[in-house]
Structure formats: structure tokens, C-alpha cells
Amino acid sequence: MRLAGCLALCLGLLPSMAPAQTQARTGAQRVDAVTVELIADRASVGPSGQIELALRLAHEPGWHTYWRNSGDSGLPTTVEPSGPAQTLFGPLRWPAPKRMWVGPLANYGYEGEVALPFQAQLPAALPAGTVRFEAFAQWLVCREVCVPGEARVALELPQSAPGERLRPSAQAALFQAMSARIPDPARPLAATLFVQARTASLTFDAAALSGAGVSTQALQAVEFFPYVPGEMTPAAQQSLLRTQSGWRIDLQLAEDAKPPARMQGLLWVEDRPIELQAQVAAGAPPDGRLVFTTPQPVASVSTSASDGAAPGSGRLLQAGSANTPAAPADRVSAQSATSATSASGWLASLALGLIGGMLLNLMPCVFPVIGLKVLSFAQASPDAFEGRRAMRHGGFAFAGGVLVSFWLLGGLMLALRAAGDAIGWGFQLQSPGFVAAMALLFVLIGLNFSGVFEIGLGLTRLGNVGANDRAQQGGPSLTGSFGAGVLAAAVATPCTAPFMGSALGLTLSQPPAQAMAVFTAIGLGMALPYALLGLFPAWLRVLPRPGRWMETLRQVLAFPMYASAVWLTWVLAQQAGADAMLRLLLAAVLLAAAAWAWGRFSGPPRARPGLALSLVIACAIGMIGLLEPVARAAQEPAQDSAAAAPTVAAGDWEPWSESRVAAALAAGKPVFIDFTAAWCVTCQANKRMVLERTAVIQAFEQAGFVRLRADWTRRDARIAAELARHGRNGVPLYLVMRPGQQEARVLPEVLTVAGVLEALTVGTR
């Protein structure tokens, strides 16, 4: 089963979208790839009696429906029964499922024939004649695609004569088979839960397992299915260990799951279902010897080929073997091929990262800083020895600032992701507090360039370009050059250059060392032009000689800084609302007042440093008070855009959700998805210059596309997960999806009108 096609259709699909029947029908009904029927374990009923009903699902080969916990995707089947007045119906009782692989993920569900039983307690008085039961059933059936289904099924049973023994029905054997796969909730297995990092260990003693009727001499098939979705990773390997007093099962918790205080589920042991209930305990689990592990897929496995004899078929470790079982020959070959492919892909990503880093210098968000760096090179004389040395050192210092910033950003991103956070490239700009701080920094830099104040050789001097630096004919200082590199890397994160998306996407699946190598390649690519200018200063002879034009250009370049601050203010309004924007604007006024006070009173001819410092401190206190609520907003979860969005008109952009994608594809409509963010400059440029062009809009409408926009301005784990499924960890990402096609077409990061029109008309290739 192909991951891209199935997940987009499975996740969150609403079964209610299928056409509903108005009248329940008796007998079996064929709905797409499933035959459904309401059955009973008895051939007749009597007053005050109890009968077992069930929804029987017979799947076509290769198709499956889902268990109560569907796993990584899908939806469980639902049944709403009805019958004679005052009939009491019990809940669905779920037979043990199978774990079915969906690419690197796994689902819990059923293939072949299955019955979902539930009890019906009949009233003392039954209507004359036959007794009619009805049920409204909804399900999701999947193979390469997922199809929602529903049916109204009915069953009519005769009433037994007084004192007559109820006879088994023709489906009694199926009820017995299902009963053998359903745990008894009245006889739970008590266990202890230990949680360490992302590992959950369930421990229980041998006596408790023996009390459940299972031999504890040599367990050979054990698998745990949790009742609560999202607690553990369905596709992760499960390990059975023999401890001194019993047994231990190690599970992997889901990345975004909170440590559970209790865990409940179905334990499949030696072809027997057992209800397991565990309470958390402090400390570490008891040590044990590994004896069994559930299998991991080598490649994408077709669920139709799986064995229906048991929920899972694991590997038993023979006595005396090492804790890690030996890999079969075919697995070794597959791993070798995968390693070779991974190595070549990693080298390709390094090359793409290097090219993408160089192209970052052409992005609009980086230009103001880059222009000042080139200007600082022009300040030095390329013909003098001291000037050449200063340019060489300045170029390498600038490159060092870029590299250090990329290392810090990459390392922090990998550390947060290892801790379970769903983040990607540009994650820091998803925080309103960080956006506000960057906007104020740009205002401060702009004021410095405009000559409102001078603050020495710090970050805001960007290489000491200015009137006071002309005496330093040796060129830019190392501190200023390093600071310029740090700032250039910081403002580059909202931009994604061509080729960067694929390179950054590789960091999702690589070890930290290889992932950091990709970040290093991007940083080297960005810094390479300036290192070369430092090594070959003669290339700068095309620039005019240093003079008054440099001061003029310095003041002119203040305006792109102000424009960047305005843009970040708009980003903050998208993230935290108009109140946060007002607070930022007031803070910017206080910052300007502090800069003016420092420039006017800190030095000659009106040197009053005490007054200058007092005014700066007062303004800083006011800024902190204004921005404290904005920083606190960074801790608040992002609102579900799909749930909060108003109704949209036909042809407009709609908020993205997995269910909306699935619904559109199930209705036979193609889908275009724009993964974007307000802080992503490339995204906004593509939107204004391509996606909002009249020709493109008309092409969307003529082809009947459903246009969805996944807004990642604030952190959203669902969007991060969807980006990861397509090998990306940042925006922009553009997908074209068509019904019946397994894979989405991925468009380039930088769009063109011709490229989008071709993708809309030709479709996925």
C-alpha cells in the first residue's frame, strides 16, 4: 500500500459522506468492497431473553476495515442498533485485530470475514409476530484508496414458543470464532506500567498470567493493542522480556503523547486475548532477558498477503541467542541496498544544500544584510596589504557567523524533535515572542543605519559601515563581520531557496551527525561568496572608491530594515491578533525613544550618560511590560484552523485538513495543497506572483480543483507530520493530488505561472 495515497485518504475521513439509505433491509448487502449483514447467534427469540447480535463484514481480498483503535490512520466501524421498545443494547465487543503495515506506519484492523458482536436484552413484552432488529452501520474500507461506507441493515427473527429452547443460528460458528478473539473484561490481567523517556514497559508476574489460563513456560506469540489511540507508536517493534518474577513488554510511546498514568488494552498471548490493565509506578522496570520481538517491515507490505491466523507473527529468540536476533539473508540484502541508496541520497542532499545555501543570498529577506556586508568589503582597500588581510579575515568571520548560526538552529531543531516536538525549519518564527523580538531588532538596526544613534562595534553595526569607521581603513572588524553572519543566517530562516526543501527533508530520517552535515552544507553555501570575496579582493574593484556614497547607501539600506520590521509585525498579527500587533507598535515607539535618548545624551557635545541610561532603562521596562503577554502567547497551542475557519465560498481557498483532502478525492475532485506560513517570504512571493494570478485562478476553476491551504504560521503538529510524510520539514510545499493516483505531485519551492498551469492541466506524472 502506497503511503502518500492511503494516508491522505484514510486520516480523518468522514464516513457520513456516503449516501444514506432511508430504509433498513434484511439480508446481506454489498457496499463497494464490503458485504455487510446483521446476524444473530440464535434462530429465534423470547421475552426477557438475551441474544447476541453482530455486524458481519466480509471484505474483498486486499481490503480492510478498522478496530476500535485504528492505529496511525483510519476510523473504527460504528453501529447504532435499534429494536423493540425497551430493548437494551450493549456496546460493541471487538475481536483481536491484525497489525497491517502502511509504508512505515501501521494500522489495526480486519481483513476477510469478521463479526462485531453486541448483546441485546429483550423486554418482557414483545410485539406479536416476528421481532425486527435494525442497525445503522458506518465504516471506512481501505486498500490503495479508502472509501467511506454505510448501510442500514435489518434482521427479523421468529418468537420461540413458551418453554422452547432457543436453537443456534446458522452463524453460531462465526460467533464462537469471534468470542475466542474477544477478551473477558471481567478477568483483567493486572500489570504495572513503567515510563522512561519514550519507552513504556508493562510488567506482570507469571502467577497472574497463569490465572488467566495461559501457560508461562515458554511464550512464543505476544502482542499488545492499546485501547486509547495516540498513546503508543503502532508501527514500533514490541519486545517481550523474561524477568525474575514474570514478564515485561517494552512499547514505544508516540512522539506527541504525554506519559500515561495508566494503560489498558488487549494482550494477545498464545492465540488468546486477555484484557490488560496497568497502573503507572515510579522507578525503573525490572531487568529481563529478551525472548521475543514483533516483526518490522523491510519494505511496504501489502496487507492482503498477511497471515490471518494471528494478530502478529513475531520472532522467537532461541535460548542462548543474543538479545538482537540475527537478520535473515533477504533482510541483510535489503538493508545493504537501503544503505547504499541512503548514502547516495545523503551526498546528493549535501550538494543540493550547498547550492540552496548560495541561492539564499538572492532571497529578499537576506538582501539588506548582504548589501551591508559587501559595502563593508568596499570600505577596505583591496590594493593595500592591510586591506586585503582585513577583507580575508572579515570574510572568514562572516562565514563563521553563518555556520555557527546554522549549527545552533540545526542542533536545537534536532534536540527538540528528539524530545518529541513536531517542528521544522523556521520553527523559531512560529513563536510570537521571537517574531516580536526580531521585529524590534530590525527597527533598532534601521535606526542605527539612519544615524539616530551609534552603539559601537556590536551586532547592529554589521561590519562597522559608517562615518565613524572611515578612520579604520583596514576594513571591517571581526566582531562586526561575525555578527553580520549571525544576523544573515537568522533572517534567512523565513526563506527557502530552490533545492533546499529536499536537502532539509533528509534530516528527518538521518542520524544527527548526517543531519548536521546537511545544515553545514547549507551554511557553507550561503557563506561561500563572501569567503571568496575575502580571498580574492580584486573582484571588488568594480565598486566605486570609498566616499560619501557609502554613508548615503547605509542610510538608504535602513528602509529595507524598516520594511522587514513591518512584515514581521504583520506576521505577529496573523499569529496572535491585533492586540499583539498594537503592543509591538507601542514597544517600537519606546525603542525609538530609547535610541534617540542614547544618541542625544550619551556622547558629546551634550554628554549626560546618566540621563541617557535612565531613559533607556525606563523605555526597556515599558517594552517588557508591553511584550510580556505576547511572549506568553507563544506557549498557547495553535487553534485548529479547520475547525475555527468560517464557511468558504466555492472556488476559494479552504483550510487544510486530512478529512477535507479525503472527502474531495472520494468525491472525484483533484486537490491542490499550499503548505505556507506568514513568516515564509518565499511562500508569500509565490502566493502574490503566481497563485493569485488570474490565469492560475481560472485554471483551478476550470479543472475543478479543491484548493486547500495548510497555514504553519503557528506550530501545528498535524501539518508538521504531513510535511514529514512528503520528505519535508519546512515550507513552502505544493502538492497536486488526483483521485485514483497513489502519489501526489510535488511542485518546486519557487513557483512559476507556466509550471503551475502545466501541473494543473497535465496532472501527476
Side-chain angles (χ1 to χ4, degrees):
M1 182 180 298
R2 299 307 298 261
L3 177 62
C6 181
L7 284 184
L9 290 163
C10 287
L11 285 174
L13 192 57
L14 297 178
S16 59
M17 296 181 58
Q21 298 171 212
T22 58
Q23 181 65 38
R25 301 204 313 262
T26 59
Q29 301 179 33
R30 174 74 175 272
V31 183
D32 295 316
V34 180
T35 299
V36 295
E37 184 181 8
L38 187 62
I39 61 175
D41 66 337
R42 302 294 178 182
S44 60
V45 296
S48 301
Q50 183 173 289
I51 189 172
E52 192 89 358
L53 302 176
L55 180 72
R56 185 179 74 90
L57 298 166
H59 308 83
E60 289 187 1
W63 293 82
H64 63 271
T65 54
Y66 295 93
W67 188 54
R68 58 184 292 178
N69 172 9
S70 58
D72 280 312
S73 64
L75 288 172
T77 300
T78 62
V79 178
E80 299 177 12
S82 61
Q86 298 182 355
T87 301
L88 300 179
F89 295 98
L92 283 181
R93 299 194 297 129
W94 298 87
K98 294 167 55 179
R99 183 161 59 157
M100 299 174 291
W101 301 107
V102 187
L105 307 181
N107 292 331
Y108 303 139
Y110 307 104
E111 293 179 321
E113 184 181 41
V114 67
L116 305 179
F118 55 94
Q119 290 184 348
Q121 180 66 46
L122 299 174
L126 290 175
T130 60
V131 178
R132 182 179 176 89
F133 299 93
E134 295 184 1
F136 176 56
Q138 295 179 299
W139 62 86
L140 184 68
V141 59
C142 297
R143 192 171 65 177
E144 280 81 10
V145 296
C146 294
V147 181
E150 64 179 39
R152 295 186 182 274
V153 291
L155 174 67
E156 293 182 349
L157 296 175
Q159 295 191 47
S160 59
E164 179 185 0
R165 184 175 181 181
L166 300 182
R167 295 177 291 106
S169 69
Q171 303 287 353
L174 180 58
F175 279 90
Q176 292 177 358
M178 294 300 103
S179 179
R181 299 174 67 87
I182 299 175
D184 183 2
R187 299 180 59 191
L189 173 65
T192 303
L193 172 65
F194 296 91
V195 178
Q196 293 183 314
R198 288 187 56 203
T199 298
S201 298
L202 299 172
T203 65
F204 45 89
D205 56 38
L209 198 58
S210 298
V214 177
S215 172
T216 61
Q217 295 301 316
L219 299 184
Q220 298 186 13
V222 177
E223 190 164 5
F224 179 71
F225 299 92
Y227 288 159
V228 179
E231 279 188 342
M232 56 172 280
T233 305
Q237 195 173 64
Q238 299 183 18
S239 302
L240 177 69
L241 297 89
R242 183 64 185 263
T243 66
Q244 186 175 1
S245 59
W247 301 88
R248 165 181 147 194
I249 300 176
D250 286 348
L251 313 168
Q252 180 178 311
L253 295 176
E255 289 187 1
D256 55 350
K258 296 181 179 179
R262 62 190 302 269
M263 190 172 287
Q264 186 176 8
L266 185 154
L267 185 66
W268 185 261
V269 183
E270 300 295 328
D271 295 335
R272 294 194 54 177
I274 298 176
E275 182 95 358
L276 184 143
Q277 297 179 0
Q279 297 289 338
V280 72
D287 294 333
R289 177 179 59 86
L290 183 64
V291 296
F292 176 85
T293 58
T294 56
Q296 292 289 93
V298 178
S300 181
V301 180
S302 172
T303 58
S304 60
S306 59
D307 180 15
S313 55
R315 300 190 304 275
L316 177 66
L317 303 185
Q318 301 298 328
S321 65
N323 282 352
T324 303
D330 59 345
R331 176 164 297 189
V332 173
S333 300
Q335 288 176 344
S336 300
T338 302
S339 299
T341 304
S342 177
S344 61
W346 178 63
L347 293 176
S349 292
L350 290 180
L352 292 175
L354 189 68
I355 298 172
M358 287 190 287
L359 292 176
L360 267 180
N361 295 295
L362 304 178
M363 296 294 107
C365 49
V366 187
F367 172 74
V369 181
I370 297 309
L372 288 169
K373 184 59 201 169
V374 175
L375 193 61
S376 71
F377 278 135
Q379 180 185 358
S381 174
D383 298 320
F385 174 77
E386 289 298 327
R388 291 195 300 271
R389 186 176 68 174
M391 292 175 66
R392 183 169 59 253
H393 291 172
F396 284 117
F398 181 88
V402 171
L403 281 174
V404 169
S405 295
F406 273 87
W407 288 337
L408 290 175
L409 285 172
L412 181 59
M413 190 175 81
L414 293 176
L416 291 175
R417 185 176 292 158
D421 287 344
I423 61 172
W425 183 247
F427 67 94
Q428 70 277 16
L429 287 164
Q430 293 175 326
S431 166
F434 183 86
V435 170
M438 286 293 293
L440 293 178
L441 176 62
F442 285 163
V443 169
L444 189 66
I445 294 172
L447 293 172
N448 179 246
F449 292 164
S450 297
V452 174
F453 75 103
E454 297 290 339
I455 200 168
L457 303 178
L459 174 66
T460 58
R461 298 303 304 279
L462 293 172
N464 300 330
V465 179
N468 293 344
D469 304 321
R470 295 194 187 102
Q472 299 178 3
Q473 294 300 318
S477 74
L478 297 184
T479 303
S481 296
F482 185 87
V486 171
L487 186 62
V491 299
T493 52
C495 297
T496 301
F499 309 112
M500 273 187 62
S502 299
L504 286 169
L506 187 77
T507 62
L508 293 168
S509 58
Q510 293 296 324
Q514 294 187 8
M516 288 300 295
V518 174
F519 289 112
T520 302
I522 297 173
L524 283 174
M526 184 176 180
L528 185 60
Y530 314 102
L532 291 176
L533 285 176
L535 288 174
F536 303 101
W539 294 354
L540 290 170
R541 289 197 176 96
V542 296
L543 293 178
R545 292 183 176 275
R548 294 181 58 85
W549 68 271
M550 298 178 65
E551 178 66 18
T552 301
L553 181 59
R554 173 181 181 239
Q555 294 176 2
V556 168
L557 287 176
F559 294 98
M561 290 296 172
Y562 297 140
S564 298
V566 170
W567 161 63
L568 287 173
T569 303
W570 173 76
V571 171
L572 183 66
Q574 306 302 307
Q575 292 177 326
D579 181 71
M581 181 180 69
L582 176 61
R583 289 177 175 274
L584 176 60
L585 293 175
L586 292 175
V589 173
L590 289 178
L591 179 65
W596 170 82
W598 184 265
R600 182 173 180 83
F601 299 116
S602 65
R606 293 174 294 274
R608 299 177 63 182
L611 175 61
L613 185 59
S614 299
L615 292 175
V616 168
I617 292 175
C619 290
I621 293 174
M623 290 168 56
I624 293 173
L626 284 169
L627 296 179
E628 190 273 336
V630 178
R632 190 170 60 249
Q635 307 301 323
E636 299 174 359
Q639 191 177 20
D640 190 331
S641 59
T647 303
V648 295
D652 290 343
W653 288 92
E654 303 178 40
W656 168 86
S657 68
E658 298 96 336
S659 59
R660 186 66 185 99
V661 173
L665 294 175
K669 296 181 180 180
V671 178
F672 184 93
I673 309 177
D674 173 16
F675 290 86
T676 184
W679 43 262
C680 171
V681 176
T682 309
C683 304
Q684 300 306 317
N686 287 334
K687 178 180 175 182
R688 300 288 188 271
M689 300 176 64
V690 178
L691 297 180
E692 293 183 350
R693 295 286 291 271
T694 303
V696 175
I697 294 175
Q698 291 177 348
F700 278 128
E701 295 175 350
Q702 291 172 0
F705 270 85
V706 174
R707 291 178 287 166
L708 305 179
R709 183 159 280 155
D711 191 347
W712 209 34
T713 302
R714 291 290 302 270
R715 289 179 59 182
D716 189 321
R718 299 174 303 115
I719 295 178
E722 191 69 17
L723 289 169
R725 291 190 188 104
H726 294 281
R728 299 294 176 87
N729 62 4
V731 290
L733 173 65
Y734 305 99
L735 301 178
V736 176
M737 307 179 71
R738 296 181 182 273
Q741 295 185 349
Q742 298 179 356
E743 295 183 355
R745 178 174 181 178
V746 180
L747 302 187
E749 291 96 335
V750 179
L751 297 179
T752 62
V753 172
V756 173
L757 292 178
E758 186 270 340
L760 298 182
T761 55
V762 176
T764 305
R765 292 180 175 176

